[in-house]
mmCIF file of all heavy atoms in Angstrom:
data_model
loop_
_atom_site.group_PDB
_atom_site.id
_atom_site.type_symbol
_atom_site.label_atom_id
_atom_site.label_comp_id
_atom_site.label_asym_id
_atom_site.label_seq_id
_atom_site.Cartn_x
_atom_site.Cartn_y
_atom_site.Cartn_z
ATOM 1 N N GLN A 50 150.069 -106.183 -16.561
ATOM 2 C CA GLN A 50 151.208 -105.586 -17.251
ATOM 3 C C GLN A 50 152.350 -106.583 -17.275
ATOM 4 O O GLN A 50 152.710 -107.150 -16.253
ATOM 5 C CB GLN A 50 151.648 -104.308 -16.510
ATOM 6 C CG GLN A 50 152.893 -103.680 -17.064
ATOM 7 C CD GLN A 50 152.715 -103.129 -18.451
ATOM 8 O OE1 GLN A 50 151.689 -102.540 -18.762
ATOM 9 N NE2 GLN A 50 153.705 -103.342 -19.296
ATOM 10 N N MET A 61 148.120 -99.754 -14.357
ATOM 11 C CA MET A 61 147.393 -98.807 -15.199
ATOM 12 C C MET A 61 148.394 -97.962 -15.977
ATOM 13 O O MET A 61 149.536 -97.819 -15.553
ATOM 14 C CB MET A 61 146.518 -97.891 -14.340
ATOM 15 C CG MET A 61 147.317 -97.223 -13.258
ATOM 16 S SD MET A 61 146.300 -96.686 -11.935
ATOM 17 C CE MET A 61 147.541 -96.412 -10.686
ATOM 18 N N THR A 62 147.960 -97.413 -17.079
ATOM 19 C CA THR A 62 148.865 -96.588 -17.876
ATOM 20 C C THR A 62 148.776 -95.134 -17.407
ATOM 21 O O THR A 62 147.775 -94.705 -16.854
ATOM 22 C CB THR A 62 148.507 -96.612 -19.366
ATOM 23 O OG1 THR A 62 147.220 -96.017 -19.525
ATOM 24 C CG2 THR A 62 148.507 -98.015 -19.919
ATOM 25 N N GLY A 63 149.849 -94.402 -17.651
ATOM 26 C CA GLY A 63 149.874 -92.980 -17.307
ATOM 27 C C GLY A 63 148.715 -92.238 -17.960
ATOM 28 O O GLY A 63 148.078 -91.376 -17.370
ATOM 29 N N ASN A 64 148.455 -92.630 -19.192
ATOM 30 C CA ASN A 64 147.339 -92.061 -19.949
ATOM 31 C C ASN A 64 146.009 -92.206 -19.218
ATOM 32 O O ASN A 64 145.239 -91.266 -19.076
ATOM 33 C CB ASN A 64 147.231 -92.816 -21.270
ATOM 34 C CG ASN A 64 147.166 -91.859 -22.424
ATOM 35 O OD1 ASN A 64 147.225 -90.653 -22.240
ATOM 36 N ND2 ASN A 64 147.030 -92.406 -23.601
ATOM 37 N N ILE A 66 145.466 -92.674 -16.117
ATOM 38 C CA ILE A 66 145.424 -91.870 -14.885
ATOM 39 C C ILE A 66 145.032 -90.435 -15.215
ATOM 40 O O ILE A 66 144.156 -89.847 -14.581
ATOM 41 C CB ILE A 66 146.795 -91.905 -14.180
ATOM 42 C CG1 ILE A 66 147.125 -93.326 -13.737
ATOM 43 C CG2 ILE A 66 146.816 -90.962 -12.991
ATOM 44 C CD1 ILE A 66 148.507 -93.483 -13.156
ATOM 45 N N PRO A 96 155.930 -95.916 -10.713
ATOM 46 C CA PRO A 96 156.112 -96.446 -12.063
ATOM 47 C C PRO A 96 156.704 -97.842 -12.010
ATOM 48 O O PRO A 96 157.568 -98.131 -11.177
ATOM 49 C CB PRO A 96 157.105 -95.462 -12.697
ATOM 50 C CG PRO A 96 157.828 -94.846 -11.558
ATOM 51 C CD PRO A 96 156.973 -94.946 -10.339
ATOM 52 N N LEU A 97 156.265 -98.710 -12.917
ATOM 53 C CA LEU A 97 156.731 -100.091 -12.901
ATOM 54 C C LEU A 97 158.041 -100.277 -13.655
ATOM 55 O O LEU A 97 158.868 -101.078 -13.276
ATOM 56 C CB LEU A 97 155.672 -101.007 -13.531
ATOM 57 C CG LEU A 97 154.549 -101.463 -12.596
ATOM 58 C CD1 LEU A 97 153.540 -102.296 -13.358
ATOM 59 C CD2 LEU A 97 155.114 -102.281 -11.447
ATOM 60 N N LYS A 98 158.205 -99.529 -14.729
ATOM 61 C CA LYS A 98 159.357 -99.818 -15.576
ATOM 62 C C LYS A 98 160.615 -99.062 -15.191
ATOM 63 O O LYS A 98 161.690 -99.638 -15.144
ATOM 64 C CB LYS A 98 158.981 -99.529 -17.038
ATOM 65 C CG LYS A 98 158.079 -100.605 -17.595
ATOM 66 C CD LYS A 98 158.322 -100.860 -19.069
ATOM 67 C CE LYS A 98 157.501 -102.049 -19.534
ATOM 68 N NZ LYS A 98 156.630 -101.733 -20.661
ATOM 69 N N GLU A 99 160.487 -97.751 -14.949
ATOM 70 C CA GLU A 99 161.695 -96.995 -14.565
ATOM 71 C C GLU A 99 161.464 -96.416 -13.180
ATOM 72 O O GLU A 99 161.038 -95.272 -13.038
ATOM 73 C CB GLU A 99 161.932 -95.862 -15.566
ATOM 74 C CG GLU A 99 162.648 -96.291 -16.823
ATOM 75 C CD GLU A 99 162.669 -95.157 -17.842
ATOM 76 O OE1 GLU A 99 163.452 -94.207 -17.665
ATOM 77 O OE2 GLU A 99 161.850 -95.208 -18.783
ATOM 78 N N THR A 104 157.980 -89.381 -12.161
ATOM 79 C CA THR A 104 157.060 -88.447 -12.798
ATOM 80 C C THR A 104 155.989 -89.244 -13.505
ATOM 81 O O THR A 104 156.200 -90.408 -13.855
ATOM 82 C CB THR A 104 157.751 -87.563 -13.856
ATOM 83 O OG1 THR A 104 158.512 -88.412 -14.703
ATOM 84 C CG2 THR A 104 158.632 -86.521 -13.237
ATOM 85 N N ARG A 106 154.013 -89.968 -16.707
ATOM 86 C CA ARG A 106 154.067 -89.786 -18.155
ATOM 87 C C ARG A 106 152.698 -90.095 -18.748
ATOM 88 O O ARG A 106 152.169 -91.177 -18.542
ATOM 89 C CB ARG A 106 155.081 -90.752 -18.778
ATOM 90 C CG ARG A 106 156.507 -90.433 -18.447
ATOM 91 C CD ARG A 106 157.421 -90.739 -19.636
ATOM 92 N NE ARG A 106 158.817 -90.571 -19.279
ATOM 93 C CZ ARG A 106 159.635 -91.568 -19.036
ATOM 94 N NH1 ARG A 106 159.224 -92.804 -19.118
ATOM 95 N NH2 ARG A 106 160.895 -91.321 -18.713
ATOM 96 N N PRO A 107 152.166 -89.122 -19.492
ATOM 97 C CA PRO A 107 150.815 -89.337 -20.051
ATOM 98 C C PRO A 107 150.849 -90.242 -21.280
ATOM 99 O O PRO A 107 150.387 -89.873 -22.350
ATOM 100 C CB PRO A 107 150.367 -87.920 -20.408
ATOM 101 C CG PRO A 107 151.626 -87.174 -20.669
ATOM 102 C CD PRO A 107 152.703 -87.791 -19.824
ATOM 103 N N ASP A 108 151.423 -91.425 -21.138
ATOM 104 C CA ASP A 108 151.444 -92.353 -22.279
ATOM 105 C C ASP A 108 151.212 -93.766 -21.757
ATOM 106 O O ASP A 108 150.542 -93.951 -20.744
ATOM 107 C CB ASP A 108 152.785 -92.238 -23.028
ATOM 108 C CG ASP A 108 153.989 -92.389 -22.114
ATOM 109 O OD1 ASP A 108 153.841 -93.024 -21.046
ATOM 110 O OD2 ASP A 108 155.063 -91.880 -22.457
ATOM 111 N N GLU A 109 151.748 -94.761 -22.446
ATOM 112 C CA GLU A 109 151.456 -96.148 -22.081
ATOM 113 C C GLU A 109 152.329 -96.669 -20.942
ATOM 114 O O GLU A 109 152.270 -97.859 -20.623
ATOM 115 C CB GLU A 109 151.638 -97.070 -23.305
ATOM 116 C CG GLU A 109 150.710 -96.766 -24.463
ATOM 117 C CD GLU A 109 149.250 -96.878 -24.038
ATOM 118 O OE1 GLU A 109 148.824 -97.973 -23.622
ATOM 119 O OE2 GLU A 109 148.529 -95.858 -24.115
ATOM 120 N N THR A 110 153.149 -95.790 -20.359
ATOM 121 C CA THR A 110 154.002 -96.216 -19.237
ATOM 122 C C THR A 110 153.143 -96.779 -18.115
ATOM 123 O O THR A 110 152.175 -96.168 -17.702
ATOM 124 C CB THR A 110 154.781 -95.001 -18.685
ATOM 125 O OG1 THR A 110 155.302 -94.255 -19.774
ATOM 126 C CG2 THR A 110 155.902 -95.440 -17.778
ATOM 127 N N PRO A 111 153.486 -97.967 -17.602
ATOM 128 C CA PRO A 111 152.644 -98.591 -16.575
ATOM 129 C C PRO A 111 152.955 -98.080 -15.176
ATOM 130 O O PRO A 111 154.100 -97.823 -14.820
ATOM 131 C CB PRO A 111 152.995 -100.079 -16.701
ATOM 132 C CG PRO A 111 154.368 -100.101 -17.256
ATOM 133 C CD PRO A 111 154.584 -98.853 -18.041
ATOM 134 N N TYR A 112 151.902 -97.951 -14.374
ATOM 135 C CA TYR A 112 152.016 -97.522 -12.973
ATOM 136 C C TYR A 112 151.165 -98.435 -12.104
ATOM 137 O O TYR A 112 150.292 -99.147 -12.600
ATOM 138 C CB TYR A 112 151.528 -96.076 -12.799
ATOM 139 C CG TYR A 112 152.386 -95.062 -13.491
ATOM 140 C CD1 TYR A 112 152.192 -94.767 -14.836
ATOM 141 C CD2 TYR A 112 153.404 -94.396 -12.807
ATOM 142 C CE1 TYR A 112 152.988 -93.841 -15.486
ATOM 143 C CE2 TYR A 112 154.191 -93.465 -13.450
ATOM 144 C CZ TYR A 112 153.978 -93.198 -14.787
ATOM 145 O OH TYR A 112 154.761 -92.273 -15.413
#
Side-chain angles (χ1 to χ4, degrees):
Chain A
Q50 175 66 40
M61 53 202 164
T62 64
N64 230 1
I66 296 174
L97 276 177
K98 285 214 174 124
E99 277 172 75
T104 49
R106 290 216 186 103
D108 53 24
E109 298 301 299
T110 315
Y112 294 85

